[in-house]
Amino acid sequence: MCKFLRVLAATILAFTATASHAAWPDRPITLVVPFTPGTGIDLIARQLAASLPQTLGQPVVVENLAGASGNIGTEKVARANPDGYTFLVTVNTFVMNSSLYKGKLRFDPQQDFAPVGLTSWGSLLLVTHPSNPANTVADVVRAASAAPGKLSYGTPGVGTPHHLSMALFLDRTGTAMLHVPYKGTAGAVTDMLGGRLDYMFLPVHVALPQVKAGKLKVIATGSPKRLPQLPDTPTLTEAGLQGADVDMWYGVLGPKGTPAAIVDRMNREINAILKAPATATAFDAQGMVPATSTPAEFGALIARDAKRWDDVVARTGITAE
């Protein structure tokens, strides 16, 4: 009798879970963006929020929860109920932070989340002031080697993709520069335009208008392939720096334990949105290229990137403030 009751209970639970998943979604879904409005990540989330309701049949709300290099919003999703109503839209700082804040994070990027899928790639450009005589990566390396620690580079802060990208560049070239961290991109760009900084990695959508206006000069692109917006500008790899690509990935994740059926449904719906011409047009304005993946492929990318940046942080000794 007891065995019968246990089997009956298990059957009822399984039926309830299946019915619950089949009814998903039956209320609004929240996309948490762990950074401020107006960023590339925010654009992605709002593009998804505008399109997903048409196929899911429920409103999709974007919640910006900035702070601690994205860790505050990320932790909220890690601790959320894995019922398919809370997702994280983020960038590769997601894994960079696991290296920078070792022992300080209250979540594990690889263990506490269910990857849903990749959404896009964004490129960083190595730029300098037009008055700088350096025009190539070789020029930069020669100048830095001739004056170790004297040339400067700016970033929006310690541990940002801009910072770690330059750390990787310096590690690959065996050179040293003075790091000048700012509280955000605006101040760093202002000083770069004024010629008070020597170099900086900047996202395409930030740098390109200044390049076209003749106020900044591009040394190289951090993408694996040349950018259509800058067909004559070589990549870091073409300049001889193997393994120095610094493209930023963007993607969507849910809390660990989010039902596979819900993850797969979200993946299908998001991939369909990413393949729409309107999405490509919206992303292009931010220097991003739509990209799709399966949940498993995205999870593998996260694991590879986590190891890569863990190695860079270990070699360079960078720590978060």
Side-chain angles (χ1 to χ4, degrees), residues 25-251:
D26 59 8
R27 54 189 171 86
I29 295 170
T30 298
L31 301 179
V32 175
V33 175
F35 296 94
T36 56
T39 59
I41 308 168
D42 185 62
L43 170 76
I44 293 168
R46 294 185 187 281
Q47 187 77 14
L48 297 179
S51 303
L52 283 171
Q54 299 170 27
T55 54
L56 295 180
Q58 292 292 334
V60 178
V61 180
V62 175
E63 179 184 359
N64 295 91
L65 192 57
S69 298
N71 291 330
I72 293 176
T74 302
E75 182 178 346
K76 177 177 180 176
V77 176
R79 297 181 180 280
N81 189 351
D83 55 6
Y85 292 96
T86 305
F87 292 91
L88 177 71
V89 183
T90 192
V91 67
N92 62 345
T93 50
F94 175 75
V95 293
M96 291 176 173
N97 286 348
S98 64
S99 301
L100 292 165
Y101 293 87
K102 276 193 179 298
K104 298 178 182 178
L105 296 183
R106 292 190 288 182
F107 60 85
D108 186 320
Q110 295 189 71
Q111 299 299 323
D112 295 338
F113 294 86
V116 173
L118 190 66
T119 62
S120 53
W121 288 94
S123 296
L124 289 168
L125 307 177
L126 177 60
V127 300
T128 188
H129 192 268
S131 63
N132 190 329
N135 293 306
T136 66
V137 168
D139 291 340
V140 176
V141 173
R142 278 193 294 269
S145 298
K150 299 293 179 65
L151 299 180
S152 63
Y153 71 94
T155 72
V158 174
T160 56
H162 318 61
H163 181 201
L164 292 186
S165 295
M166 184 59 84
L168 178 62
F169 177 90
L170 298 175
D171 180 64
R172 288 287 189 272
T173 59
T175 56
M177 293 186 193
L178 174 66
H179 178 209
V180 184
Y182 291 75
K183 292 182 178 180
T185 305
V189 171
T190 297
D191 280 355
M192 174 60 75
L193 293 173
R196 292 180 287 278
L197 290 170
D198 293 304
Y199 300 100
M200 188 174 183
F201 271 103
L202 282 175
V204 173
H205 72 279
V206 175
L208 202 56
Q210 307 297 344
V211 172
K212 290 182 176 179
K215 296 179 179 179
L216 286 179
K217 178 170 60 176
V218 183
I219 299 292
T221 69
S223 53
K225 298 179 180 179
R226 294 195 182 196
L227 300 177
Q229 301 97 323
L230 297 165
D232 298 326
T233 302
T235 67
L236 291 172
T237 300
E238 288 176 328
L241 301 186
Q242 298 301 316
D245 295 338
V246 291
D247 266 14
M248 300 180 294
W249 56 254
Y250 300 81

Side-chain angles (χ1 to χ4, degrees), residues 8-19:
L8 179 62
T11 302
I12 292 172
L13 285 173
F15 176 79
T16 302
T18 301

